[in-house]
């Protein structure tokens, strides 16, 4: 038992040696330089393989470089046995050192970016500059000017159209504008005189529209008939004058046309004798059939007269007018004798001469029976009337001190009394106005023609 104590100790067992079978009697020890070269080759192969299969499969587990290698089998010079990784294909061995680009320091990195590739030694990674990847060709976008190129083009076409239209309007207006006379423009072939040498009369442009005296006279006659002649009577006229009367507002149903081959209109109250009617019937025939003149407009060949028709001839009408005038003298004198009536000298003379319309005398007598009145004047209402035609308008003072009423109350009294008159005694006009002298008056007007034998006899 003592001898046993001198025996050498048993060798230390290596973990995993029982699974791999009995150990070799000789344990080869590899040199450190060979181990480093093998480790570098394995690391390079592993890095190359990982770079090729990075996108499609996971890399194989790698052995840490710092792990010790224990009991590696001996490697012969002919074909060394590779233990890690198992059965690594020789095709993925590390590329020769000449194939790798030289390492670049940190200061030499490109500003465009870099990737890190494993160095051939397998111990470090060197930054490798990556050339800037050319950006894919971008879709050329229109610049602001190019994108708006169509807009200015369309705007230019629209502006040209507006200019052409404006030019056309200007040409049309210039063609319609009146051209200056030869005195202002000089005329073709003559030199224009300086503006300072021209007289003010010559610089005035000539009137564009020539005034036709016949048209002016016809319009005056039409307006007078519409305003002064009763719309209840029948008025005879030629075609042109009837159209003018209808345009002025006279009722068309009370107009009787005088056709070129028609007989004299005996059964009307008033006839408008125009130059056409004068030529058709003659001066003598018109004077015989319608002697009294209510109004006359124009002179010479353009004269127009408004006459009262005598259905039974001029002689009989004259007799009626004389008889009517005697009656008007009598009632006029009676009106002036009233204690409530005051009249101007001219108004007195017309009343005493029997020249005042009988309707006016009746109405004034009725008003004076209630409150005092002051007759300022009587008006003929038209130029050129015949001596036998009565005055149909009376101007009263708007206030009479003898009435002992305020102006407003007196005017209210006049309006109420005149509006209450019935039938033919209802005046055509009853309102405040101004006479030719600018004096305020209360005017009473009756429509033409004046009735004959209204007072009897």
């Amino acid at each position: 038992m003592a001898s046993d104590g001198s025996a050498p100790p048993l060798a230390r067992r290596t973990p995993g040696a029982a699974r791999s079978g009995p150990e070799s009697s000789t344990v080869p020890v590899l040199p450190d330089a060979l181990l480093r070269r093998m480790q570098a080759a394995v690391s390079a192969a592993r890095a190359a393989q990982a770079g090729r299969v990075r996108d499609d499969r996971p890399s194989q587990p790698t052995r840490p470089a710092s792990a010790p290698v224990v009991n590696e089998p001996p490697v012969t010079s002919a074909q060394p046995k590779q233990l890690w990784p198992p059965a690594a294909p020789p095709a993925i061995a590390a590329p020769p050192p000449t194939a790798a680009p030289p390492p670049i320091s940190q200061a030499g990195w490109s500003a465009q970016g870099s990737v890190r590739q494993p160095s051939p030694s397998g111990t470090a990674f060197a930054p490798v500059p990556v050339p800037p990847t050319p950006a894919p060709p971008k879709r050329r976008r229109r610049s602001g000017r190019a994108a708006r190129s169509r807009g200015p083009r369309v705007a230019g076409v629209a502006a040209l159209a507006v200019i052409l239209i404006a030019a056309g309007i200007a040409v049309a207006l210039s063609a319609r504008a009146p051209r200056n006379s030869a005195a202002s423009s000089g005329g073709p072939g003559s030199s224009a005189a300086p503006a300072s040498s021209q007289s003010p009369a010559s610089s005035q442009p000539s009137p564009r529209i020539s005034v036709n005296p016949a048209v002016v006279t016809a319009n005056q006659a039409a307006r007078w008939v519409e305003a002064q002649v009763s719309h209840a009577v029948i008025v005879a006229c030629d075609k042109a004058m009837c159209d003018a009367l209808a345009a002025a507002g006279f009722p068309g149903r009370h107009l009787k046309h005088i056709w070129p081959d028609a007989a004299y209109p005996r059964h009307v109250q008033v006839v408008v004798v125009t130059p056409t009617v004068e030529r058709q019937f003659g001066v003598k025939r018109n004077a015989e059939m319608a002697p009294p003149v209510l109004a006359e407009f124009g002179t010479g060949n353009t004269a127009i007269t408004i006459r009262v028709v005598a259905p039974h001839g001029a002689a009989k009408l004259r007799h009626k007018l004389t008889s009517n005038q005697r009656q008007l003298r009598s009632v006029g004198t009676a009106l002036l004798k009233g204690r409530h009536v005051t009249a101007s000298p001219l108004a007195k003379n017309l009343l005493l001469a029997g020249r005042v319309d009988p309707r006016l005398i009746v109405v004034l007598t009725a008003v004076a029976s209630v409150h005092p009145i002051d007759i300022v004047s009587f008006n003929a209402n038209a130029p050129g009337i015949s001596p036998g035609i009565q005055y149909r308008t009376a101007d009263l003072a708007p206030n009479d001190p003898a009435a002992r009423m305020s102006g407003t109350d007196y005017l209210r009294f006049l309006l109420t009394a005149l509006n209450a008159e019935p039938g033919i005694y209802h005046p055509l006009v009853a309102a405040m106005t101004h006479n030719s002298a600018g004096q305020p008056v209360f005017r009473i007007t009756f429509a033409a023609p004046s009735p004959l034998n209204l007072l009897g006899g």
Side-chain angles (χ1 to χ4, degrees), residues 386-412:
S386 299
I389 299 300
Q390 288 82 28
Y391 286 65
R392 300 175 289 104
T393 295
D395 290 340
L396 304 182
N399 190 12
D400 193 339
R404 298 179 181 181
M405 300 172 63
S406 65
T408 304
D409 293 339
Y410 188 78
L411 289 177
R412 186 182 296 111

Side-chain angles (χ1 to χ4, degrees), residues 222 225-226 229-235 245-255:
V225 170
E226 192 279 330
V229 175
S230 173
H231 290 186
V233 303
I234 305 298
V235 177
L245 288 172
F250 197 88
R253 65 182 182 277
H254 289 169
L255 295 175

